[in-house]
Amino acid sequence: MRLSRYFLPVLKETPSEAQIASHRLMLRAGMIKQASAGIYSWLPLGFKVLRKLENIVHEEQMRAGHIPMLMPTIQSADLWRESGRYDDYGEEMLRIRDRHDRDMLYGPTNEELITDIFRAHVGSYKDLPLTLYHIQWKFRDEIRPRFGVMRGREFYMKDGYNFDLSKEDALHAYNRHLVSYLRTYERMGLQAIPMRADGGPIGGDYTHEFLVLAETGESEVFYDSEITDLRFGEREIDYDSVEQCQAVLEEFTSRYARTDETHDEVIFNEVPEARRRSARGIEVGQIFYFGTKYSEPLGATVQGPDGKPVPVHMGSHGIGVSRLVGAIIEASHDENGIIWPEGVTPFHAGIVNLKQGDAEADAACEALYASLTALGLEPLYDDRDERAGGKFATMDLIGLPWRITVGPRGLKNGVVELTSRKTGESEEMPPEKAIEKIA
Ligand code: ATP
Ligand code: MG
Ligand code: MG
Ligand code: MG
């Protein structure tokens, strides 16, 4: 992409309404624009990151054997009356009436809708196990939308639902989700710690939240510091193996790690004092096993091996895709701007032409642009006729992992400058060498 042809409305001023770094930086970097309270337009740069996260989520869900689909944003109230949640859900649910006076709602989550699909099409235990998921916009009329996309009213969420014949099978699905979530967050350059949590309106007492530690997080958490040393890493996993998935669950959940709702001082005090931590965290996902809570009232049964109908055991599993954009920035920025982890960066490298219009500099930039593109990478070329200082500030703000600076002086010696956004270190080298380092 050439910056002269892109749409990157960066702000010079720090927006006063933004209280935390990620919100400020997303506004300043031209990633989002508020449409109304808690509702945002995703401008091209923000949209690019959102899509990257979405792709990672899809890849990891499909790797785990979960099946993508898409359900609508607007739902009928009838199903929610059937499950008994229409009244329970309260003010967070945006209720709408259509022209025929039918009660509709903007879905805050999809347990009812997916269970309806299931009961219409699945009748036998032979069709199980089944896990379906989608990534779709949700609406919750949060009492206090704030922190930009971190607590929006309209937000983008992956929600997946497993259907199993027995509790045992459903717990395997639960474990599979835990593993796939660990992989997902690590690919985004994040450490998200599974913590024992509370069921909330979704229900169920078997649940973990995934938390990214951050001072600006809204959740209070308590944990054994040893847990922060755990990484899933590059290890192989067979998602069909009950033992392997169970082992990962045990490894990642055996140490004390709880949110304030489930925090227990007595148990916490058994952790050696030097390892006891209390901190704040951002909830970036949650997994639930809730048994037959929805399948019974909605009549989602299958014929079991003995011919008798059994309600299916279910769980639901969410990832806050749009919140993650903010969470990643919260975890990775400095006073000059965002520092994107490699796995989610909107562009792989920025090319800064110090002297736009200089034949040699222009040609060198074009050549770099073409080489990077040919390697399947996406460079962002700042080809505007602007001062170097402004170009550098923009690149720092939008936080691409690498910046290649090209100017007539360096080119005389056959070199360009390669700068790492993360370390701030710069090194001069021939253009080919810079490409090699980025690729
Ligand atoms: P919170 O405790 O932050 O209100 P939640 O527990 O109500 O979140 P879940 O029902 O578990 O949310 O939804 C799954 C995920 O969706 C959450 O873990 C979070 O990452 C994301 N999410 C929930 N509410 C919002 C919101 N208002 N804005 C952005 N993301 C959200
Ligand atoms: Mg909530
Ligand atoms: Mg929560
Ligand atoms: Mg939750």
Side-chain angles (χ1 to χ4, degrees):
M1 180 57 64
R2 290 157 209 277
L3 201 42
S4 64
R5 297 183 202 170
Y6 199 45
F7 180 62
L8 185 71
V10 300
L11 306 180
K12 294 243 156 48
E13 307 295 314
T14 299
S16 59
E17 74 269 26
Q19 302 162 33
I20 61 170
S22 58
H23 187 195
R24 240 178 350 255
L25 290 170
M26 287 183 77
L27 290 170
R28 283 195 52 215
M31 294 177 67
I32 51 169
K33 182 183 185 306
Q34 182 175 302
S36 59
I39 304 178
Y40 291 87
S41 297
W42 289 77
L43 306 182
L45 191 74
F47 180 59
K48 226 161 179 306
V49 176
L50 189 67
R51 277 282 176 268
K52 287 232 164 162
L53 301 192
E54 179 180 0
N55 282 339
I56 291 175
V57 172
H58 272 305
E59 282 173 17
E60 294 305 326
Q61 287 311 298
M62 289 191 276
R63 192 193 303 279
H66 307 156
I67 306 168
M69 62 178 293
L70 187 61
M71 288 175 272
T73 53
I74 306 290
Q75 305 180 19
S76 157
D78 294 345
L79 277 175
W80 288 72
R81 292 204 176 95
E82 245 187 277
S83 74
R85 276 209 294 183
Y86 189 60
D87 294 325
D88 291 356
Y89 214 93
E91 303 246 73
E92 250 185 43
M93 181 186 277
L94 182 67
R95 292 152 209 262
I96 307 163
R97 186 156 293 159
D98 73 10
R99 68 197 297 168
H100 304 293
D101 260 354
R102 280 185 292 242
D103 290 323
M104 311 292 286
L105 56 99
Y106 195 134
T109 177
N110 283 57
E111 281 79 8
E112 283 77 1
L113 206 53
I114 194 83
T115 309
D116 182 52
I117 292 168
F118 181 89
R119 71 182 174 185
H121 296 292
V122 183
S124 164
Y125 75 95
K126 290 181 189 143
D127 298 323
L128 305 182
L130 180 66
T131 296
L132 300 167
Y133 77 93
H134 73 160
I135 305 180
Q136 176 63 291
W137 294 95
K138 305 290 186 294
F139 197 97
R140 295 183 188 172
D141 203 353
E142 302 279 354
I143 188 162
R144 211 145 66 99
R146 58 180 187 158
F147 299 164
V149 299
M150 295 251 264
R151 182 165 300 283
R153 293 198 296 163
E154 190 183 52
F155 62 97
Y156 205 41
M157 175 174 141
K158 171 261 162 183
D159 43 325
Y161 305 86
N162 66 284
F163 301 90
D164 290 278
L165 187 60
S166 65
K167 176 172 183 181
E168 197 187 354
D169 290 352
L171 289 179
H172 174 54
Y174 185 90
N175 297 349
R176 230 173 33 231
H177 279 90
L178 180 122
V179 177
S180 69
Y181 281 25
L182 291 172
R183 284 187 54 102
T184 300
Y185 299 124
E186 284 188 18
R187 280 186 63 185
M188 296 176 182
L190 280 177
Q191 180 171 41
I193 304 169
M195 299 202 180
R196 188 195 280 230
D198 184 70
I202 310 265
D205 45 21
Y206 212 104
T207 177
H208 284 89
E209 280 176 8
F210 289 78
L211 286 116
V212 172
L213 299 175
E215 275 166 34
T216 48
E218 293 188 278
S219 309
E220 194 180 5
V221 299
F222 302 85
Y223 61 96
D224 177 341
S225 64
E226 271 190 1
I227 204 162
T228 58
D229 297 332
L230 298 176
R231 295 287 180 282
F232 187 79
E234 296 293 309
R235 66 179 98 165
E236 289 291 318
I237 181 96
D238 174 2
Y239 278 109
D240 289 333
S241 162
V242 170
E243 295 73 29
Q244 284 187 26
C245 293
Q246 176 68 25
V248 176
L249 173 100
E250 280 165 19
E251 177 184 347
F252 280 83
T253 63
S254 59
R255 292 173 186 76
Y256 193 95
R258 296 188 183 199
T259 61
D260 53 356
E261 295 124 342
T262 57
H263 178 55
D264 183 327
E265 278 293 330
V266 176
I267 307 175
F268 190 46
N269 285 338
E270 288 166 16
V271 177
E273 194 174 355
R275 300 203 322 243
R276 266 180 247 155
R277 298 279 188 284
S278 74
R280 304 201 64 85
I282 302 166
E283 181 192 329
V284 291
Q286 185 164 11
I287 53 178
F288 299 88
Y289 161 72
F290 44 69
T292 57
K293 180 180 156 106
Y294 298 94
S295 56
E296 288 209 53
L298 292 169
T301 57
V302 293
Q303 199 172 47
D306 58 1
K308 291 197 187 114
V310 279
V312 288
H313 286 255
M314 292 174 60
S316 71
H317 314 277
I319 294 183
V321 182
S322 52
R323 177 178 289 180
L324 272 162
V325 179
I328 291 168
I329 298 173
E330 246 0 91
S332 185
H333 69 271
D334 63 16
E335 65 281 4
N336 297 322
I338 302 164
I339 304 172
W340 290 115
E342 299 268 356
V344 304
T345 185
F347 295 97
H348 295 96
I351 303 170
V352 169
N353 189 343
L354 289 178
K355 199 159 185 203
Q356 200 67 42
D358 175 274
E360 245 190 285
D362 291 1
C365 288
E366 291 294 340
L368 275 166
Y369 188 87
S371 306
L372 287 166
T373 306
L375 288 170
L377 300 173
E378 268 188 292
L380 179 67
Y381 172 22
D382 192 343
D383 58 344
R384 299 167 307 162
D385 189 11
E386 283 229 1
R387 287 182 32 245
K391 290 189 174 185
F392 290 154
T394 299
M395 285 296 176
D396 282 349
L397 176 62
I398 68 171
L400 312 182
W402 299 102
R403 187 186 82 207
I404 313 173
T405 310
V406 181
R409 260 218 331 258
L411 288 176
K412 279 211 179 74
N413 304 319
V415 297
V416 296
E417 187 188 59
L418 184 68
T419 308
S420 156
R421 177 66 182 89
K422 198 165 166 185
T423 65
E425 277 161 30
S426 292
E427 210 186 320
E428 293 197 323
M429 60 188 76
E432 315 79 63
K433 197 76 193 299
I435 290 166
E436 230 171 78
K437 278 205 135 180
I438 293 166

